[in-house]
Amino acid sequence: MLHESTLNQRTSMTFKQELTERTTAVVRSCMDAGLAPPDDPALVSLDLRAAVHGAVSMRVNQPDMPWPPLEDQVDRFLAKLVGIRPASP
């Protein structure tokens, strides 16, 4: 888990900055394309990453909970936090 230990405090973990930059760029692209409402892409990206990491962390630490499918939960995160609606089947 990316945020579950002090290991993430290392400054040489450049992938964390890349994850931040790429997620923000994708959110910005969705906003620019009109797929998500205008907002601060960096803040929306942070909220989305926090939600997904939290969902995964909770599953690891509380495996006996009746969790919904992660894919469905991430779709709800995208709808509620980013404003992107899943494609209709």
Side-chain angles (χ1 to χ4, degrees):
M1 294 293 298
L2 181 59
H3 303 287
E4 290 285 323
S5 73
T6 57
L7 179 65
N8 70 27
Q9 304 298 320
R10 294 183 184 178
T11 57
S12 64
M13 298 178 78
T14 57
F15 73 90
K16 291 190 307 181
Q17 183 62 35
E18 185 175 338
L19 175 65
T20 298
E21 292 170 0
R22 286 184 178 206
T23 306
T24 301
V26 169
V27 169
R28 181 179 293 112
S29 293
C30 290
M31 290 175 182
D32 290 347
L35 299 172
D39 204 334
D40 180 338
L43 287 177
V44 172
S45 170
L46 180 62
D47 289 345
L48 182 59
R49 291 188 337 267
V52 171
H53 281 291
V56 172
S57 175
M58 290 178 75
R59 281 168 168 73
V60 168
N61 290 297
Q62 298 177 14
D64 295 333
M65 291 286 294
W67 297 110
L70 184 59
E71 182 177 291
D72 294 345
Q73 196 169 37
V74 170
D75 282 346
R76 286 191 300 278
F77 293 158
L78 287 168
K80 293 175 182 176
L81 297 172
V82 183
I84 297 174
R85 299 285 176 210
S88 299

